[in-house]
Amino acid sequence: MTSGSRELVDPFGRVVRDLRIAVTDRCNFRCTYCMPEEGMEWMPRRQILTFEEITRIARICVDRYGFEGIRLTGGEPTLRHDITELVHQLAALGIDVAMTTNAATLRKIAGDLRAAGLRRVNISLDTLDREKFERMTRRDELDHVLQGIDAAIAVGFEPVKINAVIERGVNDDEIVDLARFGRTKGIEVRFIEFMPLDATDEWQRNKVVGQDEIVARLSQVWDLEQMPARGAAPADRWRYTDGGGTVGVIPTVTKPFCGDCDRVRLTADGQFRTCLFSTDEFDLRAALRGGESDEQIAARIEAAVGTKWAGHRINQVNFVRPKRNMSQIGG
Ligand code: SAM
């Protein structure tokens, strides 16, 4: 916490200190579990927050509430024109800037992003099989993504992590192969349970491969030791006892971790959200463009955080999917 800041606390006593910012809703992939093949309606350019607007919200969160980190996401954040400049502006706030990316073009810009102040990257990689990669992302880009991972390691992002969404009958046969890939590269793979945030409403519970099953499959090959509680981070983590590094699972569906959640989100069009699954949004773009003071915008953030749910309702009969899919919210 910097002097003059105070904690932003939600109604359940959780301290909010992690902001995820979607910088665009556009993507160069069309992952089946996230977007439709065609027909996405992109947000009009004038509705997308400018770098100055994004940085202003970030500064309010940092100066007033002591946020220590920001993660850039989307859509695909590297598609945002001049993204290195935004990283530079955010890093100048003195915080830890991270990015979640599909890495399709990372080989070209990893060095610039690192120099601009980006410290950490999570790279999405759901399969090591070229044909399956093309089926899952609807793009033939596996080689470029692998080059992006190597570039991320080479320029010194610390840590580099792999995010792998596992969908039953699609890539659950690759859990061990993906884990082995992470061990070979010396980076952590985090398996993500498939969430009901796809654009085509195809999510079904039986397509979710849960944490217990993932860990059981890994345990058939390696001896694993669970690491201490995660804190606010979304992944449960295990150590390979042979010294082969660590592996994680983000068990959003089967073992929700909402009780420890410290996250809030800002969509590319300036809507503030308190949960991936919330059905309410708070329009900070209108506030920014309406000439409101930092004080007024902070009051809106506090009011929004005052509505943060105890937990998502995926496992309840009255669960209502958010209107937007993952790429529009910012995963
Ligand atoms: N384009 C970037 C990328 O691919 O990492 C950032 C945005 S993407 C929406 C962020 C993360 O959300 C990715 O790791 C992606 O695999 C994950 N994701 C998207 N849809 C999902 C779903 N329905 N269930 C679980 N994870 C999902």
Side-chain angles (χ1 to χ4, degrees), residues 142-215:
L142 176 61
D143 287 348
H144 285 156
V145 172
L146 296 177
Q147 289 165 21
I149 292 169
D150 287 339
I153 296 168
V155 303
F157 289 122
E158 180 58 43
V160 177
K161 292 182 187 166
I162 301 291
N163 283 348
V165 177
I166 300 297
E167 200 179 336
R168 190 175 305 285
V170 178
N171 63 342
D172 54 326
D173 57 334
E174 281 193 81
I175 291 170
V176 166
D177 292 343
L178 286 162
R180 187 172 287 118
F181 174 81
R183 285 168 55 96
T184 309
K185 295 281 178 194
I187 55 184
E188 182 171 298
V189 175
R190 303 183 326 159
F191 295 101
I192 304 179
E193 292 182 353
F194 180 30
M195 303 175 211
L197 288 171
D198 55 314
T200 47
D201 215 359
E202 276 162 27
W203 182 88
Q204 287 173 13
R205 208 171 168 104
N206 61 12
K207 293 185 179 171
V208 177
V209 182
Q211 171 166 300
D212 289 347
E213 187 175 339
I214 292 170
V215 173

Side-chain angles (χ1 to χ4, degrees), residues 133-146:
F133 187 96
E134 194 170 349
R135 279 202 302 281
M136 288 187 78
T137 64
R138 302 187 176 107
R139 299 289 185 271
D140 183 13
E141 288 283 346
L142 176 61
D143 287 348
H144 285 156
V145 172
L146 296 177

Side-chain angles (χ1 to χ4, degrees), residues 27 33-34 73-77 100-102 122-124 126 163 165 192-198 326-327 330-331:
C27 194
Y33 53 73
C34 186
T73 181
E76 172 46 42
T100 302
T101 173
N102 63 29
N122 288 358
I123 296 176
S124 301
D126 308 317
N163 283 348
V165 177
I192 304 179
E193 292 182 353
F194 180 30
M195 303 175 211
L197 288 171
D198 55 314
M326 187 72 111
S327 67

